Amino acid sequence: MRSFIPFRPSALLASALVLSCAQSVPPARDPLPSWNHTAPRKAIVAFVEKITKEGSPDFVPVPERIAVFDNDGTLWSEKPVPFQLMFAFDQVKQLAPQHPEWKTKEPFASLLKGDMAGVAATGEKGVLEIMTATHTGMTTDEFSRSVQDWIASAKHPKTARLYTDMVYQPMLELLSYLRANGFKTFIVSGGGVEFMRPWTERVYGIPPEQVVGSAGKLKLESRDGKPVLVKLPAIDLIDDKEGKPVGIQSRIGRRPIAAFGNSDGDLQMLEWAMAGDGARFALFVHHDDAQREFAYDRADKLQQFDKGWDEAVAKGWTVVSMKDDWNTIFPAAR
Amino acid sequence: MRSFIPFRPSALLASALVLSCAQSVPPARDPLPSWNHTAPRKAIVAFVEKITKEGSPDFVPVPERIAVFDNDGTLWSEKPVPFQLMFAFDQVKQLAPQHPEWKTKEPFASLLKGDMAGVAATGEKGVLEIMTATHTGMTTDEFSRSVQDWIASAKHPKTARLYTDMVYQPMLELLSYLRANGFKTFIVSGGGVEFMRPWTERVYGIPPEQVVGSAGKLKLESRDGKPVLVKLPAIDLIDDKEGKPVGIQSRIGRRPIAAFGNSDGDLQMLEWAMAGDGARFALFVHHDDAQREFAYDRADKLQQFDKGWDEAVAKGWTVVSMKDDWNTIFPAAR
């Protein structure tokens, strides 16, 4: 009993406030219904309970409760290719009438013919040309509108779902659970920041100012007497691997106490979070569910999960098996 | 009466909740006691009232209530030189024993002799050398500790106050007033982001993740088996003039609806905020109080207020006379 005594008065006060204030108290419900009662769920709950327990040695004040999430493969699917690339492909098709030269110029010619092997044959250089053609030259407002239009209607080639319906229901619950416990949730993604911001607030409850991602340089110009920011074909930040701690420090400026990823591109972010003082939490999502989603790890060429997996096992970080630990993958389609 | 009717029920509900819930209701008090009842105060209150009034055509949802503040000269003093430069000078003195070569090398030699005219004679190149010597090479954690040590004890040469006691009381009240009305307050300063973040939360209530500033490039390294971020002698962002809208877009990603500055270095930021749709607010602080603070504007070499002043007058933006509109400048010393 002894250890409970110091908490009694505040617990009583809290109960009194709840009873006297709340117009309708919802029945206590499971905040993580899509998580099976296996080790990852238990580890998450144990971490949150200890860092929110006032007076405990692991207590973390609310302003320091920063949690960072990778996006592709951690909050939503990333196969067959990261969805931003699907957006870029679709943009090429939409812009093609203004670029008659693309009919004979690679990688555009192959893409417009639907010859994805031909596109792949142009390698990184080809992808970079597609990204430059579809992601630079316009203003940030124009680009944002293109993303909004696309994300509202484009469908995933395998599931025929909206891309925003290919987010992970258990991660939506986790984001809400953390926020309900005083966390500020951030995305820290290798994906483009200007590609994510137009929809992350609606889909994840994460506002634009809490989205960190790869970015191109911007230039202030005046058009029709109004200031605009033009997206330049020059890199400002590659927010992947060793770039993730840099993105966190330059944009957030506070070391996260919890970090969530799914591939080796997230390893430095998890290491950065874990290297701080006090209680810390790191989790990798392991894609091992070919039936309900996709299965890939050590041998994957685009999103390898290899070194990160080994380090997670060695250090006792949490590894989620999508197959065993999640009873639901995607939310009901909207 | 007619226009009031739609708001009645929610006002009643709000009152009922306040009466039934609050344990002690503080008497209504002026949120801006240091602001005289002159035009700037009236303009601020009118703006906040109209954008927070549900159902009004000017209503702005809470997530979009982003306000950005310059720091030097807007939230705290910037004379005789921006305080970050005073920090750099003091750091040179502290680091001098490890740099015997500085005794004969400019601008360090003049600085160590207290010959500020000699330092000034080395021009921008000299200042850059001092900044490089004191702001790069160390880890972000080491730099943060240096700033914390300095800001806790260094005193302003004219007032003998702590620098954090040279913040403007009316602006502290304004920050609180905006936050109480659902605003998220950000700093967007030409000063160094790593110099501000260690103390802005304590002094202004602005957390590190809401501080945008000039920045050097960072590099992830491993030291004693731990990841560290090293401050490199290379520019990442100059968050001044045309760099301010770039800093806002790259770090915040949402256009502010209110912007506050004091010099031409803030003009593009105010223009950027004002160029959005819906109700907007822009304010310049005019330093015209030589007796209580400092007086400088069009002729000032470091912090000129000239084009911005003209544009503010032409466009009807708010210009605060520190002399006439503020009854208090600094808070009581701590």
Side-chain angles (χ1 to χ4, degrees):
Chain A
M1 277 304 291
R2 208 168 178 189
S3 67
F4 271 83
I5 294 172
F7 302 104
R8 270 286 165 83
S10 63
L12 277 174
L13 182 59
S15 308
L17 282 171
V18 166
L19 290 175
S20 65
C21 283
Q23 300 298 302
S24 65
V25 182
R29 59 171 189 82
D30 180 359
L32 301 169
S34 302
W35 292 74
N36 292 329
H37 287 259
T38 45
R41 178 198 169 103
K42 284 175 191 160
I44 290 165
V45 172
F47 171 72
V48 169
E49 289 185 348
K50 78 179 173 183
I51 69 107
T52 56
K53 187 171 175 175
E54 266 187 74
S56 108
D58 293 316
F59 178 76
V60 175
V62 166
E64 288 164 33
R65 294 182 198 164
I66 303 286
V68 288
F69 290 80
D70 170 57
N71 185 41
D72 297 312
T74 300
L75 295 180
W76 74 354
S77 293
E78 59 182 347
K79 293 289 179 187
V81 295
F83 299 166
Q84 188 175 356
L85 209 49
M86 303 298 288
F87 163 75
F89 294 162
D90 286 347
Q91 287 297 102
V92 167
K93 289 166 200 161
Q94 199 176 319
L95 295 169
Q98 298 155 51
H99 294 272
E101 76 279 10
W102 284 355
K103 277 184 195 149
T104 53
K105 192 186 168 197
E106 292 297 354
F108 305 100
S110 290
L111 181 55
L112 292 172
K113 281 181 285 187
D115 171 13
M116 295 315 288
V119 175
T122 65
E124 274 189 32
K125 189 172 163 288
V127 171
L128 189 64
E129 281 186 58
I130 289 170
M131 292 301 283
T132 303
T134 56
H135 283 65
T136 70
M138 69 290 286
T139 70
T140 50
D141 283 347
E142 288 163 354
F143 183 77
S144 176
R145 277 192 295 273
S146 298
V147 172
Q148 283 168 46
D149 289 346
W150 181 82
I151 203 109
S153 57
K155 301 281 174 71
H156 188 273
K158 183 180 161 187
T159 65
R161 284 179 150 232
L162 288 176
Y163 289 100
T164 50
D165 285 338
M166 293 194 64
V167 298
Y168 304 132
Q169 177 63 25
M171 297 306 274
L172 297 181
E173 295 166 8
L174 178 57
L175 287 168
S176 295
Y177 174 63
L178 291 176
R179 289 194 290 257
N181 281 283
F183 279 81
K184 217 172 193 176
T185 52
F186 288 79
I187 289 174
V188 176
S189 166
V193 69
E194 302 275 351
F195 175 74
M196 296 182 283
R197 281 178 171 154
W199 51 269
T200 55
E201 188 158 39
R202 170 173 64 83
V203 175
Y204 301 133
I206 297 179
E209 62 270 23
Q210 287 164 222
V211 180
V212 178
S214 294
K217 289 193 188 298
L218 303 173
K219 183 165 183 267
L220 187 70
E221 288 185 8
S222 179
R223 289 192 183 171
D224 304 325
K226 275 203 160 191
V228 295
L229 286 166
V230 177
K231 286 168 62 57
L232 302 182
I235 296 294
D236 185 40
L237 173 67
I238 298 284
D239 192 44
D240 197 34
K241 297 194 170 74
E242 61 277 8
K244 289 209 174 194
V246 171
I248 289 169
Q249 181 65 20
S250 65
R251 271 63 173 172
I252 306 175
R254 177 132 62 180
R255 194 191 296 256
I257 64 164
F260 302 82
N262 77 297
S263 78
D264 289 356
D266 304 313
L267 179 55
Q268 286 88 343
M269 174 169 81
L270 270 61
E271 288 175 337
W272 180 247
M274 296 306 286
D277 296 327
R280 307 263 144 193
F281 190 79
L283 179 151
F284 275 118
V285 174
H286 180 200
H287 292 262
D288 60 357
D289 193 333
Q291 206 177 344
R292 294 187 301 171
E293 204 238 6
F294 303 96
Y296 54 98
D297 44 53
R298 295 193 194 275
D300 197 85
K301 272 174 194 164
L302 267 183
Q303 295 100 4
Q304 194 170 41
F305 181 44
D306 179 49
K307 280 185 192 169
W309 196 359
D310 290 339
E311 190 162 325
V313 170
K315 295 185 173 173
W317 299 349
T318 296
V319 179
V320 165
S321 158
M322 291 177 75
K323 197 156 159 265
D324 297 334
D325 298 321
W326 289 357
N327 61 53
T328 306
I329 303 287
F330 300 122
R334 275 163 279 199
Chain B
M1 276 307 291
R2 207 166 175 189
S3 65
F4 272 83
I5 294 172
F7 302 103
R8 269 291 167 78
S10 63
L12 275 174
L13 181 60
S15 307
L17 282 170
V18 166
L19 289 175
S20 64
C21 284
Q23 300 299 303
S24 66
V25 182
R29 58 173 189 81
D30 180 359
L32 301 169
S34 302
W35 291 75
N36 292 328
H37 287 259
T38 46
R41 177 198 168 104
K42 284 174 191 161
I44 291 166
V45 171
F47 171 72
V48 169
E49 289 184 348
K50 78 179 172 184
I51 70 107
T52 56
K53 188 171 174 175
E54 267 189 73
S56 109
D58 293 316
F59 178 76
V60 176
V62 167
E64 288 164 34
R65 294 182 197 163
I66 303 286
V68 289
F69 290 80
D70 169 57
N71 185 42
D72 298 311
T74 300
L75 295 180
W76 74 351
S77 294
E78 59 182 347
K79 293 291 180 185
V81 295
F83 298 165
Q84 188 176 356
L85 209 50
M86 304 298 288
F87 163 75
F89 294 162
D90 286 347
Q91 286 297 101
V92 166
K93 289 167 200 160
Q94 199 177 317
L95 295 169
Q98 298 156 50
H99 294 273
E101 76 279 11
W102 284 355
K103 277 184 195 150
T104 55
K105 191 186 169 198
E106 291 298 352
F108 306 100
S110 290
L111 180 56
L112 293 171
K113 280 181 286 187
D115 171 12
M116 295 314 289
V119 175
T122 66
E124 274 189 31
K125 189 171 164 287
V127 170
L128 189 64
E129 281 187 57
I130 289 170
M131 292 301 282
T132 303
T134 56
H135 283 65
T136 70
M138 69 291 286
T139 71
T140 51
D141 283 347
E142 288 163 354
F143 183 77
S144 176
R145 277 191 295 274
S146 297
V147 172
Q148 283 170 45
D149 289 346
W150 181 82
I151 204 109
S153 58
K155 302 282 174 71
H156 188 273
K158 184 181 161 187
T159 65
R161 282 177 153 236
L162 288 175
Y163 288 101
T164 50
D165 285 338
M166 294 194 66
V167 298
Y168 304 132
Q169 176 64 24
M171 296 306 275
L172 296 181
E173 294 165 10
L174 178 57
L175 287 167
S176 295
Y177 174 63
L178 291 175
R179 289 194 291 256
N181 281 283
F183 279 81
K184 217 171 192 177
T185 52
F186 287 79
I187 290 174
V188 177
S189 167
V193 69
E194 302 275 349
F195 174 73
M196 295 182 283
R197 281 178 171 155
W199 51 270
T200 55
E201 188 158 40
R202 170 172 63 84
V203 175
Y204 301 133
I206 297 179
E209 62 270 22
Q210 287 164 223
V211 179
V212 178
S214 294
K217 288 194 188 297
L218 303 173
K219 184 166 183 264
L220 187 69
E221 289 185 8
S222 180
R223 288 191 184 172
D224 304 324
K226 277 203 158 190
V228 296
L229 286 165
V230 178
K231 286 168 63 55
L232 302 182
I235 296 294
D236 184 42
L237 173 68
I238 297 286
D239 192 45
D240 197 32
K241 297 195 171 74
E242 62 277 7
K244 288 208 174 194
V246 171
I248 288 169
Q249 181 64 20
S250 64
R251 271 63 174 171
I252 305 176
R254 177 131 66 178
R255 195 191 294 256
I257 64 164
F260 303 83
N262 77 298
S263 78
D264 289 356
D266 304 313
L267 178 56
Q268 286 88 344
M269 173 169 81
L270 270 61
E271 288 175 338
W272 181 247
M274 296 305 286
D277 295 329
R280 307 263 143 190
F281 190 78
L283 179 152
F284 276 117
V285 174
H286 180 201
H287 293 262
D288 61 356
D289 193 333
Q291 206 177 344
R292 294 188 300 172
E293 204 239 5
F294 302 97
Y296 55 97
D297 43 54
R298 296 193 193 276
D300 197 86
K301 274 174 194 163
L302 268 183
Q303 293 99 5
Q304 194 169 41
F305 181 44
D306 178 48
K307 280 184 192 170
W309 195 359
D310 290 340
E311 190 163 325
V313 170
K315 294 186 173 171
W317 299 347
T318 296
V319 179
V320 165
S321 158
M322 291 177 75
K323 197 155 159 264
D324 297 335
D325 299 320
W326 288 357
N327 61 53
T328 306
I329 304 286
F330 300 121
R334 276 162 279 198

